[in-house]
Amino acid sequence: MEQLVQLINNYKQEINSTEAATPDAVEAFRIKWLGTKGLVKTIMGEMKNVAAENKKEAGQLLNEFKLFVEQKHGSFTLGTSSIQEQAAGIDWSLPGDPTPVGTRHPLSMVRNKIVSIFQRLGFAVAEGPEIEDDWHNFGAMNLPEDHPARDMQDTFYISQDPAWLLRTHTSSVQARVMETQKPPIRVICPGRVYRNETISARAHCFFHQVEGLYIDENVSFADLKQTLYFFVQEMFGKDVKVRFRPSYFPFTEPSAEMDISCLICGGDGCNVCKHTGWVEILGSGMVHPKVLENFGIDSNKYTGFAFGMGVERICQLKYRVNDLRLYSQNDVRFLKQFTGIV
Ligand code: PHE
């Protein structure tokens, strides 16, 4: 045992006074001490000469020594790699170039919020094509070819074949749902729509809608009001008031537009509400019997309500976006303001 302790102490002294500043020197150190024929292996072999009663103590000493050599070797390795890096002129401790991470578009966030509110009420999501035929966009919706209300929605027609157009509302998706499903029907239709408008702060040639349709037995105007009232409270908060004004849409009868109390001035009157205290957010009504019959739905048995809103408008009211063009200009200074708010 004494010999062993002595030997280990000598080795430690030798190792402590060893320097290995180059990769070659580190490798030489490794071979001498830790290699297959290295001194650590050799001294470990001395175990067999240790008396049985000392084996435990000797084992501990030897293990400790092995660890000591390995740590020394590790510190050499670290030292030389930083020498190499410095030689290559690289400072690995500098922070990396940040990679900018995108954010969700405010319209997507608001659309998702609208959709999730209606999903909680049991509405399913339906989508359809942006390039539509006349029937699904107009005809089926009780807007025959000579109907003056077609002028309400300035339509982009496909020049090669005017039987095709860019949908002016997602009511076209409702038409496709009624074509393929039987009542009860409960869907919302989010999507992009197109209208031939001059681009300004208040109008754009495309925007986004969420329309809804509910058809079942005994669906009443009271259901419509309560559903939309629930939506407004979830979207804008419990303090917001609503009012319905009689209106006209060819596909609903009776029809109503819904206003909410102005969120900007709280109803006192400001520029956004044109000093009325109210702002319009959607159109709605009871599905016209003719629309139901167009899809073979018995209008004596079934009734339904429908509504449609613009996502940009909801976003404008919620986040005070005062220019519609901002949504499609892709200015990151605008877009990144919406990170994580909905
Ligand atoms: N489709 C109408 C529009 O785009 C909105 C609407 C939908 C109105 C359903 C009433 C019922 O203006």
Side-chain angles (χ1 to χ4, degrees):
M1 273 306 285
E2 254 170 52
Q3 275 179 349
L4 193 64
V5 172
Q6 188 58 45
L7 192 58
I8 287 177
N9 280 342
N10 289 346
Y11 280 166
K12 279 189 173 172
Q13 252 175 31
E14 186 182 341
I15 289 168
N16 276 335
S17 58
T18 304
E19 290 293 342
T22 64
D24 286 347
V26 177
E27 182 58 6
F29 178 90
R30 190 192 64 79
I31 294 169
K32 174 171 180 183
W33 294 100
L34 297 166
T36 32
K37 290 178 187 151
L39 289 168
V40 170
K41 265 261 158 63
T42 317
I43 197 178
M44 287 287 196
E46 291 299 321
M47 270 300 274
K48 63 179 183 294
N49 301 324
V50 175
E53 70 266 28
N54 291 331
K55 277 221 192 297
K56 192 175 166 204
E57 198 189 341
Q60 272 171 0
L61 270 174
L62 287 168
N63 278 331
E64 201 184 79
F65 176 63
K66 189 178 171 212
L67 215 68
F68 170 81
V69 181
E70 282 169 351
Q71 275 167 359
K72 192 73 184 173
H73 178 248
S75 73
F76 286 151
T77 316
L78 271 182
T80 56
S81 66
S82 82
I83 286 166
Q84 282 172 310
E85 283 150 17
Q86 278 162 20
I90 298 165
D91 180 356
W92 296 99
S93 68
L94 285 176
D97 289 335
T99 308
V101 178
T103 62
R104 226 177 255 301
H105 194 282
L107 292 178
S108 300
M109 292 196 277
V110 170
R111 180 205 53 213
N112 290 350
K113 171 99 181 165
I114 298 171
V115 166
S116 77
I117 294 170
F118 284 105
Q119 277 179 327
R120 270 190 281 149
L121 290 174
F123 284 78
V125 175
E127 289 184 328
E130 292 183 15
I131 299 175
E132 255 306 355
D133 55 48
D134 197 276
W135 168 252
H136 290 99
N137 194 78
F138 288 130
M141 286 292 134
N142 199 26
L143 279 135
E145 231 157 80
D146 53 354
H147 199 291
R150 283 201 181 201
D151 295 344
M152 277 164 64
Q153 304 185 349
D154 299 300
T155 311
F156 284 118
Y157 287 92
I158 307 292
S159 57
Q160 288 92 336
D161 184 356
W164 294 92
L165 47 84
L166 297 180
R167 68 181 178 195
T168 60
H169 51 187
T170 57
S171 301
S172 58
V173 183
Q174 304 184 0
R176 288 180 178 276
V177 169
M178 285 186 275
E179 203 168 56
T180 52
Q181 294 176 31
K182 298 225 168 323
I185 290 171
R186 193 155 45 182
V187 289
I188 42 166
C189 314
R192 180 175 287 184
V193 301
Y194 301 82
R195 291 183 197 180
N196 191 357
E197 304 241 18
T198 310
I199 296 171
S200 71
R202 303 172 145 267
H204 212 294
C205 58
F206 65 80
F207 61 98
H208 300 79
Q209 283 191 322
V210 177
E211 293 214 353
L213 175 71
Y214 178 31
I215 302 172
D216 202 349
E217 290 177 45
N218 300 319
V219 176
S220 71
F221 201 84
D223 296 319
L224 179 158
K225 285 175 81 173
Q226 196 55 38
T227 303
L228 295 178
Y229 185 49
F230 175 82
F231 163 71
V232 164
Q233 291 208 316
E234 291 296 305
M235 192 75 207
F236 297 109
K238 300 284 178 211
D239 299 334
V240 180
K241 295 196 250 327
V242 301
R243 74 174 185 189
F244 288 82
R245 281 178 293 103
S247 184
Y248 173 77
F249 298 102
F251 28 86
T252 48
E253 183 59 36
S255 304
E257 279 171 322
M258 190 174 82
D259 297 343
I260 60 170
S261 51
C262 183
L263 300 162
I264 313 290
C265 62
D268 295 341
C270 68
N271 279 342
V272 173
C273 60
K274 299 196 196 86
H275 300 281
T276 63
W278 296 94
V279 283
E280 184 211 316
I281 64 159
L282 56 81
S284 65
M286 301 306 292
V287 181
H288 198 293
K290 251 184 121 174
V291 174
L292 297 176
E293 298 297 341
N294 278 340
F295 296 100
I297 298 170
D298 183 352
S299 62
N300 291 314
K301 186 170 176 205
Y302 293 105
T303 49
F305 67 74
F307 56 87
M309 69 185 90
V311 180
E312 280 81 351
R313 182 111 180 103
I314 307 287
C315 196
Q316 175 199 21
L317 294 172
K318 213 166 155 65
Y319 303 116
R320 306 185 185 196
V321 179
N322 55 14
D323 189 330
L324 272 177
R325 291 168 294 194
L326 288 165
Y327 293 120
S328 49
Q329 279 165 341
N330 283 341
D331 185 333
V332 287
R333 290 169 303 178
F334 169 71
L335 295 171
K336 75 180 176 191
Q337 296 176 72
F338 298 88
T339 313
I341 51 170
V342 179

